[in-house]
Amino acid sequence: MQDLPAPASAGSLRDGYGRVARDLRVSVTDRCNLRCTYCMPAEGLPWLAKPEMLTDDELVRLVGIFTALGVTQVRLTGGEPLLRRSLVDLVRRIAALPERPRIAMTTNGIALDRLAAPLADAGLDRVNVSLDTIDPQTFRDLTLRDRFADVERGLKAAADAGLVPVKVNAVAMRGVNDTGVPDLLQWCLDRGYELRFIEQMPLDAQHGWDRDRMVSATEIRDRLGERFGLTPLPDADRGSAPAERFLVDGGPATVGVIASVTAPFCGACDRTRLTADGQVRNCLFSQRETDLRALLRSGADDEEIAAAIVGEMRVKRAGHGIDDPSFVQPDRPMSSIGG
């Protein structure tokens, strides 16, 4: 990779509202081995053909350009990132970049039992595991797969491998798992995992999201408050993190609630996204993309690619606008964009 000029105050990825992108979400595949009913249909989706996906060399080159522009954290996502066969080597190569970012991953945890230790050895720093319920039957109904025990083993393997704090991401859904919110928190507390609840967002492939059926952050807090004492941590401790965090029963354990819909954190957003087919998106809900894959494969040098990335960040909107009557859900579902 060609050397890029050092960005002034890591501000090359500054948007028109003064926000600086330091957190890059990299989707390494659009495929998934679960069929969560709020994400995709039971039959799955038309997956990207291999030639459409970025190769390992292309991914590493692009991540290197992003880190030269000031990105300090890279989160590997999917689809399900553990389905990419070269993932361990990919992590090792990202960890070896001149501007070594902190490397995290969001996964459903099914294959972590065998991959947590190799990934930690390769340079993975931390992991988030998506788990919406601890009831095996509800898990089966929700994901259309009988894999809860695999996720349990994966979480333990992540903790044993030192990928801490192990975080659990959960979406509360009305009439599905909302009554089990306190049970999930207790389960995580008993095992030393840090739980974060996330409001369900309009990113399903079926475009069936209904705000009236969404369980809000306020409802989640109220439900947790029926069993636990929650003490809010100061906003100053939050920074650009999306979760509002609470001490549980006086601490030291915490729980987080991400109000992506009802109390969006767009004003402090420091994220940008790279899809598995090489599109850079300045917002999860963006209606536009910049094609970096085409630049790569047409022979563009690193400075040209960096300029395209900078240009995309400069047109980032002030917010995602879910509450605006003109809001239009992105054509791409979450599994295609990357979490």
Side-chain angles (χ1 to χ4, degrees), residues 95-150:
L97 288 169
E99 301 289 338
R100 199 269 201 216
R102 182 166 174 78
I103 308 171
M105 181 177 67
T106 298
T107 170
N108 63 30
I110 286 176
L112 266 182
D113 187 20
R114 61 182 178 83
L115 286 174
L119 284 166
D121 290 343
L124 187 68
D125 296 300
R126 199 173 57 73
V127 67
N128 287 38
V129 176
S130 299
L131 177 64
D132 301 316
T133 178
I134 54 169
D135 180 78
Q137 182 60 52
T138 303
F139 183 95
R140 188 183 304 115
D141 293 343
L142 185 58
T143 67
L144 307 185
R145 300 290 187 271
D146 188 11
R147 305 299 296 271
F148 175 70
D150 296 302

Side-chain angles (χ1 to χ4, degrees), residues 1-323:
M1 190 183 78
Q2 300 175 19
D3 291 336
L4 293 173
S9 303
S12 290
L13 295 184
R14 186 180 301 275
D15 66 29
Y17 298 89
R19 299 166 297 192
V20 178
R22 296 187 177 90
D23 185 331
L24 174 65
R25 306 297 170 102
V26 179
S27 175
V28 298
T29 181
D30 62 330
R31 296 172 184 264
C32 191
N33 45 8
L34 296 181
R35 294 293 181 270
C36 297
T37 55
Y38 62 88
C39 184
M40 66 175 68
E43 65 274 15
L45 295 167
W47 310 125
L48 289 169
K50 189 170 182 180
E52 297 178 64
M53 295 178 61
L54 295 176
T55 66
D56 285 5
D57 287 346
E58 290 170 335
L59 270 171
V60 172
R61 181 181 171 194
L62 288 179
V63 172
I65 294 171
F66 274 99
T67 58
L69 289 168
V71 162
T72 58
Q73 172 165 290
V74 171
R75 176 174 295 278
L76 304 176
T77 70
E80 172 45 49
L82 296 179
L83 292 179
R84 186 160 181 138
R85 294 181 180 180
S86 59
L87 185 65
V88 173
D89 189 55
L90 192 59
V91 169
R92 183 176 294 109
R93 293 178 64 182
I94 292 172
L97 288 169
E99 301 289 338
R100 199 269 201 216
R102 182 166 174 78
I103 308 171
M105 181 177 67
T106 298
T107 170
N108 63 30
I110 286 176
L112 266 182
D113 187 20
R114 61 182 178 83
L115 286 174
L119 284 166
D121 290 343
L124 187 68
D125 296 300
R126 199 173 57 73
V127 67
N128 287 38
V129 176
S130 299
L131 177 64
D132 301 316
T133 178
I134 54 169
D135 180 78
Q137 182 60 52
T138 303
F139 183 95
R140 188 183 304 115
D141 293 343
L142 185 58
T143 67
L144 307 185
R145 300 290 187 271
D146 188 11
R147 305 299 296 271
F148 175 70
D150 296 302
V151 180
E152 275 194 295
R153 287 191 291 268
L155 280 161
K156 184 178 185 305
D160 291 345
L163 298 173
V164 293
V166 174
K167 294 187 178 181
V168 172
N169 294 345
V171 176
M173 290 155 282
R174 197 175 309 284
V176 178
N177 65 342
D178 53 327
T179 60
V181 160
D183 295 331
L184 179 55
L185 176 54
Q186 187 63 62
W187 189 87
C188 289
L189 292 172
D190 292 343
R191 291 158 179 78
Y193 307 144
E194 185 175 328
L195 177 60
R196 303 194 308 176
F197 286 101
I198 306 171
E199 288 181 338
Q200 186 180 359
M201 295 178 284
L203 288 165
D204 58 306
Q206 304 94 314
H207 286 214
W209 180 83
D210 181 350
R211 176 159 182 168
D212 292 337
R213 296 180 58 206
M214 183 195 76
V215 180
S216 71
T218 299
E219 292 178 83
I220 292 168
R221 291 193 298 266
D222 289 346
R223 181 82 69 172
L224 293 174
E226 294 171 2
R227 188 183 304 181
F228 304 97
L230 302 182
T231 306
L233 288 170
D235 284 343
D237 293 347
R238 183 172 176 179
S240 61
E244 182 183 7
R245 295 172 65 224
F246 302 84
L247 291 174
V248 180
D249 292 336
T254 64
V255 64
V257 181
I258 300 177
S260 306
V261 176
T262 60
F265 44 90
C266 301
C269 180
D270 66 347
R271 300 175 181 179
T272 187
R273 286 173 165 79
L274 179 65
T275 66
D277 58 347
Q279 312 301 305
V280 63
R281 298 172 62 90
N282 62 39
C283 175
L284 184 59
F285 295 95
S286 178
Q287 294 292 337
R288 53 167 289 151
E289 301 174 334
T290 293
D291 190 349
L292 301 186
R293 184 187 63 191
L295 288 173
L296 284 168
R297 296 181 182 179
S298 66
D301 63 25
D302 287 3
E303 289 188 358
E304 291 175 281
I305 295 170
I309 295 169
V310 169
E312 179 61 31
M313 290 309 301
R314 286 179 178 163
V315 297
K316 184 171 181 172
R317 297 173 59 194
H320 53 52
I322 291 177
D323 280 331

